[in-house]
Amino acid sequence: TIHRNRVHGVHVTGEGNGTIKDNDIFQNLLAGVYIESGSNPTICHNRISNGLGTGVTIADDGEGVIEDNDIFLNKLCGVEVKSGARPMVRVNRIYEGVGVGIRVGKDGGGKFMDNQIYRNSHAGVVVEWGCAPHFEGNAIFEGETDGVNCSSYSTATFVGNLISRNTLMGVVVTRHANPTFRNNTVSENMRCGFQVAASGRGVYEGNDVCQNHEAGFLIESDGCPLIDKENRIHSGRAEGILLKDGNGVVRGNRIYGNKKAGLKIEGGRALIRKNMIYSSEAEGCHISSNSMPRLERNDLFYNQRCALLVDNGAHPQVRKNLVRDGKSDGIVIGPGGLGEYEGNRIFMNANVGFKVHCDGAPIVHDNAINNGNGSGLCLLPGAMGQFSENIIAGNYGDQICVEGNSLGGDNGDLTFDNNMIDWTNQPSFRLPELRHIIREQGSKAFLEQRVTDMLPDLSSGSAASSSRTASRLRSAGNKIKNSVIMFGGKTGAPKKQYGSVASTVENESLLGKSGQSVKWLAGLD
């Protein structure tokens, strides 16, 4: 028993070696065991506890093997490594400390393998001040704050660790720290799995990030991680990845089964590439708050709401993604949503393939929108945007649906040019020859007039004898004339055909073909 010393319990210095085994070391004023000056002892099978300082400190180029010890209830930290020390710390139980479980400070290093680090009052592991330790196969759990905290230019490596059930974050990376996390399980933490903030960096590969109470990854305050190569971010109670004014690269991951959006971006210029984002209980991806990310070659499918929602001034570049098999809409541009959408394949969604709300203004070019259960393209009242060279075909609803948008040909904020649209399937048309409800002239806007009733011919029958009917049909004829005026047509074209189903407007450049006769529809409502 080594206890109640006014300095260290055991002090190994001057290149000392030896073995310290099967001792009770407790209630010492400073460290229970202090190793320094190139010493290389073996510390094993001891109980090191209740110190007023640290349990074990290795400093000043010290080394040593710290193996199979119980290190607990120490005031500062269980194990401290600093000043060039490089120990091997393995198969220890480091728990219930008043401070940190393991702290690696300035220029510290070493290997930490197969330890259990749990129920400490502060973080389970702290790495800081440029240190570069290696942690492998450790269980870091049930801490009263964070599981792992990396800061201040540290470059630690974490491989195959379990980081779970901590009161705050599983892992925090801040202040230019640049760690590597590979093949770890980060789960069931009371807040986020990973937080990368305040210019934190790092490489994250092959991790299983699941069942955390907040986002799997939270990237904020100029955090810039590389989240790469088969991370599985799933089954969380909030977002899979949440970027708040963060940057970085998210590439080649599987993001699925989260309660909120699989990926939510609120600011920043992240690159999101070659990910599978699926089975979210909300949106697959939600982009807002003036964000300017790039989404390229992702596969978004089986999401509960829409695959992609863009609103509130966001301006993403969305290219060559698969947007498919959604349980609602494919891509939705909400109020204030902008962005460029090019080369995407949008198919087999349960509702609308591409929907634009009021004040949304996307640039939509060279996309294929097909085989959906609803409309291909839906423009709600006040929608804007540029639509060119898209293929819209094979949808079970209308290929294009324009709800309440009667801005006419002078609306330069809504343009439609050289799109390929299959008009043979447009269920809202009553008769095949009446299918061109939606019209364009060059790059001008759409006009829709819904058919509510068929207009009879006034030239014969009982309709001609009814002054009330004649008055209503004259009003319908005026609607036809107004429609022609809005698209620059000839106002004199209808000649006393108030009751005709349609009037002919000649020499108009409609649907990209000049000289085509067009039938305008007029309802009685």
Side-chain angles (χ1 to χ4, degrees):
T1 300
I2 304 169
H3 65 102
R4 296 179 182 173
N5 294 285
R6 294 187 178 182
V7 286
H8 310 299
V10 176
H11 188 181
V12 185
T13 186
E15 300 183 0
N17 295 308
T19 299
I20 301 169
K21 182 178 180 180
D22 293 326
N23 300 283
D24 264 334
I25 304 171
F26 62 94
Q27 292 182 355
N28 296 285
L29 184 61
L30 300 180
V33 177
Y34 193 93
I35 303 168
E36 64 173 347
S37 303
S39 299
N40 189 15
T42 297
I43 313 294
C44 60
H45 311 308
N46 300 282
R47 291 168 55 85
I48 306 170
S49 65
N50 291 286
L52 297 179
T54 63
V56 178
T57 294
I58 307 99
D60 298 329
D61 300 313
E63 297 181 0
V65 176
I66 317 299
E67 182 175 13
D68 194 22
N69 301 282
D70 282 284
I71 304 171
F72 59 100
L73 291 174
N74 295 286
K75 284 289 180 69
L76 295 183
C77 56
V79 176
E80 181 183 34
V81 180
K82 60 184 180 180
S83 304
R86 298 286 188 274
M88 168 65 77
V89 181
R90 63 190 181 201
V91 201
N92 299 281
R93 293 157 298 283
I94 304 168
Y95 58 98
E96 295 181 359
V98 179
V100 173
I102 295 176
R103 180 190 299 275
V104 186
K106 185 174 182 180
D107 298 325
K111 293 184 177 180
F112 301 80
M113 304 180 70
D114 301 318
N115 302 284
Q116 295 185 42
I117 306 162
Y118 59 98
R119 296 178 190 164
N120 294 285
S121 295
H122 292 284
V125 173
V126 171
V127 292
E128 58 188 354
W129 300 114
C131 65
H134 180 90
F135 288 82
E136 184 170 348
N138 302 281
I140 306 166
F141 60 97
E142 296 181 3
E144 295 185 17
T145 59
D146 305 315
V148 175
N149 192 310
C150 304
S151 65
S152 304
Y153 298 94
S154 58
T155 57
T157 300
F158 293 82
V159 179
N161 301 282
L162 171 65
I163 305 169
S164 181
R165 301 196 302 274
N166 295 286
T167 303
L168 298 181
M169 310 291 184
V171 177
V172 176
V173 180
T174 60
R175 293 186 291 170
H176 303 280
N178 191 20
T180 298
F181 282 83
R182 187 178 295 118
N183 300 329
N184 301 280
T185 297
V186 182
S187 65
E188 299 181 80
N189 296 286
M190 298 303 294
R191 294 192 63 190
C192 300
F194 287 88
Q195 180 191 35
V196 185
S199 300
R201 301 291 186 264
V203 178
Y204 306 83
E205 298 178 352
N207 300 288
D208 191 12
V209 184
C210 61
Q211 298 180 353
N212 296 287
H213 286 234
E214 296 184 8
F217 275 86
L218 171 61
I219 304 166
E220 58 183 347
S221 305
D222 200 34
C224 190
L226 172 59
I227 304 173
D228 196 15
K229 294 182 182 178
E230 281 296 328
N231 294 285
R232 298 168 302 284
I233 305 165
H234 64 97
S235 306
R237 299 189 182 182
E239 297 85 1
I241 298 178
L242 174 59
L243 290 100
K244 291 185 173 182
D245 294 316
N247 298 301
V249 176
V250 180
R251 180 174 60 196
N253 305 287
R254 293 168 57 194
I255 306 168
Y256 62 96
N258 296 287
K259 290 285 186 182
K260 295 185 180 179
L263 172 65
K264 187 171 184 179
I265 304 176
E266 299 178 346
R269 296 172 175 265
L271 170 61
I272 314 298
R273 196 167 195 269
K274 290 187 176 180
N275 301 282
M276 297 173 65
I277 305 173
Y278 60 98
S279 298
S280 300
E281 296 189 20
E283 301 85 8
C285 179
H286 184 184
I287 306 174
S288 64
S289 303
N290 300 307
S291 308
M292 300 181 68
R294 290 161 51 197
L295 277 71
E296 298 177 354
R297 299 182 182 274
N298 300 284
D299 190 0
L300 296 91
F301 60 98
Y302 295 159
N303 294 290
Q304 189 69 38
R305 294 183 186 172
C306 59
L308 173 61
L309 172 61
V310 179
D311 59 12
N312 195 22
H315 196 300
Q317 297 180 16
V318 182
R319 293 192 173 98
K320 297 184 179 180
N321 300 280
L322 296 178
V323 180
R324 62 183 178 91
D325 295 296
K327 297 182 180 180
S328 183
D329 301 322
I331 295 178
V332 176
I333 312 301
L338 305 169
E340 301 171 13
Y341 305 82
E342 182 177 358
N344 302 287
R345 290 191 59 195
I346 305 167
F347 61 98
M348 297 183 69
N349 295 288
N351 202 358
V352 177
F354 199 111
K355 181 185 288 185
V356 185
H357 286 259
C358 178
D359 295 326
I363 299 172
V364 184
H365 175 73
D366 192 26
N367 300 279
I369 307 172
N370 60 282
N371 295 99
N373 287 330
S375 299
L377 173 64
C378 179
L379 303 179
L380 298 178
M384 299 178 285
Q386 302 174 28
F387 300 84
S388 62
E389 299 185 15
N390 301 286
I391 300 172
I392 307 175
N395 298 287
Y396 285 95
D398 289 352
Q399 305 311 305
I400 300 180
C401 178
V402 182
E403 298 185 7
N405 193 328
S406 58
L407 297 178
D410 294 328
N411 177 20
D413 292 327
L414 179 59
T415 66
F416 201 77
D417 188 32
N418 293 327
N419 297 280
M420 298 178 63
I421 303 168
D422 177 14
W423 294 109
T424 60
N425 184 23
Q426 188 82 357
S428 65
F429 300 162
R430 290 196 172 190
L431 297 173
E433 66 268 26
L434 306 181
R435 61 183 177 272
H436 300 302
I437 291 179
I438 303 167
R439 293 290 177 262
E440 62 169 314
Q441 180 178 358
S443 61
K444 299 299 183 182
F446 293 112
L447 173 69
E448 178 188 39
Q449 293 188 351
R450 294 187 176 278
V451 180
T452 59
D453 200 354
M454 297 295 293
L455 298 176
D457 191 347
L458 279 180
S459 59
S460 63
S462 60
S465 62
S466 170
S467 60
R468 181 179 178 184
T469 300
S471 174
R472 293 176 68 194
L473 295 177
R474 287 188 181 93
S475 174
N478 289 331
K479 289 186 179 182
I480 296 172
K481 182 183 291 186
N482 291 334
S483 299
V484 174
I485 292 172
M486 292 181 75
F487 278 84
K490 298 179 180 180
T491 58
K495 295 181 179 179
K496 298 182 180 180
Q497 296 180 357
Y498 300 115
S500 298
V501 174
S503 296
T504 299
V505 183
E506 298 178 350
N507 299 321
E508 296 301 314
S509 177
L510 301 171
L511 299 173
K513 297 180 180 179
S514 60
Q516 180 180 359
S517 296
V518 176
K519 294 181 181 297
W520 292 96
L521 302 182
L524 291 178
D525 54 340

